[in-house]
mmCIF file of all heavy atoms in Angstrom:
data_model
loop_
_atom_site.group_PDB
_atom_site.id
_atom_site.type_symbol
_atom_site.label_atom_id
_atom_site.label_comp_id
_atom_site.label_asym_id
_atom_site.label_seq_id
_atom_site.Cartn_x
_atom_site.Cartn_y
_atom_site.Cartn_z
ATOM 1 N N VAL D 78 158.027 213.187 41.710
ATOM 2 C CA VAL D 78 156.681 212.617 41.793
ATOM 3 C C VAL D 78 156.173 212.432 40.370
ATOM 4 O O VAL D 78 156.397 213.277 39.511
ATOM 5 C CB VAL D 78 155.736 213.546 42.584
ATOM 6 C CG1 VAL D 78 154.331 212.952 42.661
ATOM 7 C CG2 VAL D 78 156.281 213.806 43.985
ATOM 8 N N ASN D 79 155.507 211.313 40.124
ATOM 9 C CA ASN D 79 154.948 211.037 38.798
ATOM 10 C C ASN D 79 153.449 210.776 38.917
ATOM 11 O O ASN D 79 153.002 210.140 39.862
ATOM 12 C CB ASN D 79 155.607 209.797 38.183
ATOM 13 C CG ASN D 79 157.095 209.981 37.991
ATOM 14 O OD1 ASN D 79 157.527 210.818 37.225
ATOM 15 N ND2 ASN D 79 157.887 209.199 38.711
ATOM 16 N N THR D 80 152.681 211.237 37.902
ATOM 17 C CA THR D 80 151.249 210.953 37.913
ATOM 18 C C THR D 80 150.867 209.765 37.036
ATOM 19 O O THR D 80 149.747 209.286 37.118
ATOM 20 C CB THR D 80 150.419 212.169 37.445
ATOM 21 O OG1 THR D 80 150.901 212.616 36.181
ATOM 22 C CG2 THR D 80 150.469 213.287 38.453
ATOM 23 N N ASN D 81 151.751 209.321 36.171
ATOM 24 C CA ASN D 81 151.398 208.139 35.371
ATOM 25 C C ASN D 81 152.430 207.042 35.601
ATOM 26 O O ASN D 81 152.955 206.430 34.670
ATOM 27 C CB ASN D 81 151.257 208.472 33.887
ATOM 28 C CG ASN D 81 152.557 208.899 33.247
ATOM 29 O OD1 ASN D 81 153.535 209.155 33.930
ATOM 30 N ND2 ASN D 81 152.578 208.961 31.927
ATOM 31 N N ALA D 82 152.707 206.794 36.863
ATOM 32 C CA ALA D 82 153.770 205.861 37.233
ATOM 33 C C ALA D 82 153.459 204.447 36.743
ATOM 34 O O ALA D 82 152.467 203.848 37.133
ATOM 35 C CB ALA D 82 153.947 205.857 38.750
ATOM 36 N N GLY D 83 154.313 203.933 35.878
ATOM 37 C CA GLY D 83 154.167 202.559 35.421
ATOM 38 C C GLY D 83 154.914 201.600 36.327
ATOM 39 O O GLY D 83 155.728 202.001 37.155
ATOM 40 N N GLY D 84 154.624 200.334 36.153
ATOM 41 C CA GLY D 84 155.372 199.309 36.870
ATOM 42 C C GLY D 84 154.674 198.733 38.074
ATOM 43 O O GLY D 84 155.264 197.912 38.779
ATOM 44 N N GLY D 85 153.425 199.125 38.337
ATOM 45 C CA GLY D 85 152.738 198.599 39.512
ATOM 46 C C GLY D 85 152.614 197.088 39.488
ATOM 47 O O GLY D 85 152.869 196.414 40.492
ATOM 48 N N LEU D 86 152.277 196.526 38.327
ATOM 49 C CA LEU D 86 152.163 195.070 38.243
ATOM 50 C C LEU D 86 153.519 194.407 38.145
ATOM 51 O O LEU D 86 153.703 193.268 38.604
ATOM 52 C CB LEU D 86 151.282 194.679 37.060
ATOM 53 C CG LEU D 86 149.790 194.943 37.249
ATOM 54 C CD1 LEU D 86 148.998 194.415 36.070
ATOM 55 C CD2 LEU D 86 149.270 194.317 38.531
ATOM 56 N N LEU D 87 154.514 195.086 37.568
ATOM 57 C CA LEU D 87 155.867 194.539 37.579
ATOM 58 C C LEU D 87 156.388 194.447 39.013
ATOM 59 O O LEU D 87 157.091 193.502 39.370
ATOM 60 C CB LEU D 87 156.794 195.399 36.730
ATOM 61 C CG LEU D 87 156.577 195.347 35.219
ATOM 62 C CD1 LEU D 87 157.544 196.290 34.515
ATOM 63 C CD2 LEU D 87 156.739 193.930 34.690
ATOM 64 N N ALA D 88 156.038 195.438 39.812
ATOM 65 C CA ALA D 88 156.431 195.387 41.220
ATOM 66 C C ALA D 88 155.797 194.181 41.908
ATOM 67 O O ALA D 88 156.436 193.502 42.722
ATOM 68 C CB ALA D 88 156.017 196.684 41.921
ATOM 69 N N TYR D 89 154.544 193.913 41.572
ATOM 70 C CA TYR D 89 153.867 192.743 42.148
ATOM 71 C C TYR D 89 154.534 191.447 41.680
ATOM 72 O O TYR D 89 154.757 190.528 42.474
ATOM 73 C CB TYR D 89 152.394 192.752 41.756
ATOM 74 C CG TYR D 89 151.662 191.495 42.160
ATOM 75 C CD1 TYR D 89 151.349 191.257 43.501
ATOM 76 C CD2 TYR D 89 151.321 190.530 41.220
ATOM 77 C CE1 TYR D 89 150.693 190.103 43.880
ATOM 78 C CE2 TYR D 89 150.661 189.370 41.590
ATOM 79 C CZ TYR D 89 150.359 189.163 42.919
ATOM 80 O OH TYR D 89 149.719 188.003 43.300
#
Side-chain angles (χ1 to χ4, degrees):
V78 180
N79 299 296
T80 53
N81 66 349
L86 287 185
L87 290 178
Y89 173 73

